[in-house]
Amino acid sequence: MALDQRSRAILSHLSQAQSYVTANEIMETFRISRRTIYYDIGKINDWLEENELPVVQHARSAGFQLDQEAAKQVPKKLGAIKQRHYEYSTTERRTWMALYLLARNRPVYLESLMEKVRVSRNTAIEDVKRLKNELISYELRLEFDRRLGYVIKGQEENKRKVIVFYLQRLVGKLGWSDLLGQMRMIFNDQADFPIFGKAEEVKEIISASEKELGIQYTDDFLHNLAIRILLFVCRLSQGKRIKVDPVDQLVLSETKEYRAAKEITKKLTALIQVDFPEEEIFYITKHLLSSRIQFSQTIFENDNEQNDKVLAEVVSKMVTDFQKYACIIFDNRKEVERNLLLHVKTAYYRVLYGLEADGGLEASVKEKYPDIFRLTQKVSKHLENAVGKPVSDSELTLITIHFGGWLEKMGIEVAKRKNALLVCNTGVGTSRLLQHQLEGLFSTVDIIGCVSLRDYEEMDLEADFIISTIPLAEKGKPVFVVNAILSDAEKERLLKKVNAFIGIEPQKSNSIAGVMDIIRQHAIIKNEEALKNELKQYLQQVPVKTKEAYKPNLKEVLPIEHIQCLTAVTDWKQAIHESAKPLLENQAVTENYITAMIDVLLEMGPYVVVSPKVAIPHARPQDGVNKLGMTLLQLKKHVPFSEKGSKPVNLVIVLAAIDGDTHLKALNQLTKILSNKSLKEALIAAESPKAIYRIIADHSK
């Protein structure tokens, strides 16, 4: 009877359990259906009977249990399974095919692959097709040549990354002895792969570096790196050398990991008689820097190194933001930061060198801890900014586990999060401005996107509620209508409404329930739910905080040369032309951009009037923007921005954005000025561009 990988894993799980294991636990652990459980248990029982061991018992109310004597024998029996008794899963077959092809030093044909993974011709052909598709994401091609057989083509660095990726599929699911056993099954041609007989010695050489580095690798990483290096040596012995950028070499040579890599390669040379070029030593250094470690004695002793200071600051910002978004306070923040830094320091190098972790936990973590995962996504922007690359979901999963572990340790549950959709019938400027304000306003609400009215009418809603700059017909979800620029009073009103909707209690010593009890004693309540909701809104007292902006200051984007004062213009079109003149003169925009701003208003109406007396005309960056810029035109006599003569405007502020982000700091500072009634009136009443610029400069800090 053959046991596949999943059946082996379930049997191993049962053998380690101290009591009954429920079907739900098995379903959650192995991500399989209830029907599949019974199918696998049937295979396990056949195998147990074949090995003269008691079968798995099932109690309907309790779950599955393995006899104690059988539990003692199972690990030995599993370790003794011979090649013909092991059935590879589809994923395992592709994994071993890829590793075999990358290590093989002679032509490999379909028959060889069939023999290695023990499947039929048709199954092997299907596996090869799937492997070919998987390799595309690494910019590699799996091709067939009549003379050479199957060959993986592409850059050597990408081939090494594939080795790391496929090994991660095996290590962790297989113990060290099982892993070596399967390596011997696949790489059983001693003439071609004598090096695999040295796996134990290679592991000991790498383990010896722990003392020098003052760390302890996780078992999975230690096993993974040992096999990685064996496969790298296979390629090196075939003349397949890695290239490392000279700048990287300079940086890497200053690290203690480089010194450890030199010692490792020196011992490996003595063991297997293969010389390591300098670039291979640098490449192994990258893997040591990217290692997953259990603990470190030295990671907190190098605060004088610039990179350590940067990463310590990254971790501090991540923890600060996590507390803010999760609405919690860690009891021992320093300990949280120390443990997170231990992970982030190695994660930084994994992302930098494209060696991201893939522990196979991503799907289960997203399903079990969706709120914590989303929070981790938000706070990991600090790590992305430091490394200059996006952080993969696999890495985010590991950071999620870190935060989740601390929350469980403290017995804390994060505040339940809600999703809001923003509907804004405008261009990039106004919609980004509003989204930026809202993201700084709510701590437990995620703005999942900004769509047009047309998109809103056609889409299936996945949001909990809608925030819109225009009145909307409700589609089963509440709609909160707001202005594009929110004053403090408007922010407070919106907070009250949203918090009442999502069930956040007002910050008052007296509860809603207590107030309701008092009312019941003295009055007849016609609609209790409506009254509760009104009370929640009334009693909400939430401090308004504006999310800190970034990038150019307002005074940099809106210099005094871009400010004009006129008595009057003939209509709103001339107002846009006059306001945009400075941008046109310094070639920040083309004539097409001015035309685009006017066309959008003709089509959509005066949506650019973002608050009384203020309009911010804009169009898309691709409509003719060459560089970021902003202008301000002050009119002593207002001009209507509506064909009906309504929407009077005295301040016409043209925005030319180059993308969705660069202008946000300036826009946020402008929003603060316009939200302050006295400051806005001061801009309208100012007697000169110099007086206007003075207000701008004073509030651009």
Side-chain angles (χ1 to χ4, degrees), residues 58 69 183 199 209 213 254 302 308 523 562 578 587 603 648:
H58 179 230
E69 186 57 35
M183 294 290 291
S209 68
L213 294 171
E254 299 296 322
N302 300 318
D308 289 335
H562 288 191
E578 291 294 335
Q587 299 181 333
E603 179 184 348

Side-chain angles (χ1 to χ4, degrees), residues 346-356 387 389-391 395:
T346 57
Y348 170 87
Y349 290 107
R350 285 196 294 274
V351 176
L352 182 65
Y353 298 129
L355 301 171
E356 284 98 335
V387 76
K389 291 183 179 181
V391 177
E395 286 293 347

